[in-house]
Amino acid sequence: MTTLVCTSASKAAGPAAQTLPYPSFSSYVRVRQPVLLRTARSLTGNPSDAEDLLQTALTKTYVAWERIEDHRALDGYVRRALLNTRTSQWRKRKVDEFACDELPEPDPVPGGDDPAEQQALRDAMWRAIMRLPARQRAMVVLRYYEDLSEVQTAEVLGVSVGTVKSAVSRALGKLREDAELGLVRS
């Protein structure tokens, strides 16, 4: 099957007939700001810094708006401005370092255990849960991790409330007897 293409009309129209995708700077910002803000957030990690970074990059883009010939490449231009501005900020950052007699240690969290121990306990708990049968595992996760009631858990799984109660009870018993969890807790 052959498709006919008329090339003479498109050549005759020339560059004067091309319509710009963004007729004004404000229309570009209105349409593309959410996407560009996500890019800025990935560069800074802080929503407030990302907004400042984007504003600076958009200011640079506004100043160069008339000089940008290909408006289809605006995103690339702004992203490059974001990256260059962030790099300049990073280079200008001043870090004050000074020697001290004692290393500063964070104050212990009142009533809290060591974060490494807490993470080790969480990891051991997940491994123990993964060793449960699929049905018991689903009920434990819905009850204690998704915080559903026994009635809601029963509805989700299509079983009776009594089945949920007995299966969760058996699962908790297995978790209490789990050897790996016992080692981590002691």
Side-chain angles (χ1 to χ4, degrees), residues 12-175:
Q18 291 179 354
T19 59
L20 296 174
Y22 303 105
S24 69
F25 178 75
S26 60
S27 66
Y28 171 73
V29 171
R30 196 172 24 260
V31 171
R32 300 301 295 165
Q33 184 177 13
V35 173
L36 295 171
L37 185 58
R38 282 195 300 270
T39 302
R41 281 189 181 161
S42 69
L43 290 172
T44 63
N46 179 340
S48 299
D49 291 342
E51 290 173 2
D52 292 342
L53 178 63
L54 180 59
Q55 287 301 317
T56 303
L58 288 175
T59 302
K60 291 177 181 181
T61 305
Y62 178 75
V63 169
W65 185 258
E66 297 300 323
R67 294 189 320 255
I68 300 173
E69 294 176 11
D70 186 6
H71 280 210
R72 294 173 298 180
L74 281 170
D75 281 355
Y77 185 92
V78 175
R79 284 190 178 100
R80 175 51 62 185
L82 284 168
L83 187 60
N84 289 346
T85 303
R86 183 62 180 153
T87 302
S88 295
Q89 290 172 348
W90 177 78
R91 285 181 180 152
K92 290 177 186 176
R93 184 184 75 199
K94 183 179 177 184
V95 178
D96 292 327
E97 293 183 17
F98 54 92
C100 58
D101 293 334
E102 295 180 23
L103 291 175
E105 294 291 330
D107 293 331
V109 179
D113 292 331
D114 180 25
E117 290 176 9
Q118 291 176 353
Q119 186 62 45
L121 181 59
R122 274 189 226 105
D123 292 344
M125 179 61 78
W126 272 111
R127 285 191 299 273
I129 288 173
M130 293 308 293
R131 287 190 291 270
L132 291 173
R135 188 171 170 169
Q136 288 179 358
R137 180 174 52 240
M139 290 183 190
V140 167
V141 168
L142 289 173
R143 280 287 290 130
Y144 298 104
Y145 285 92
E146 296 297 322
D147 202 26
L148 297 182
S149 68
E150 291 169 340
V151 173
Q152 292 169 325
T153 302
E155 288 174 3
V156 167
L157 297 175
V159 296
S160 70
V161 175
T163 303
V164 171
K165 288 180 180 181
S166 63
V168 167
S169 176
R170 283 192 300 276
L172 293 177
K174 288 181 182 179
L175 291 174

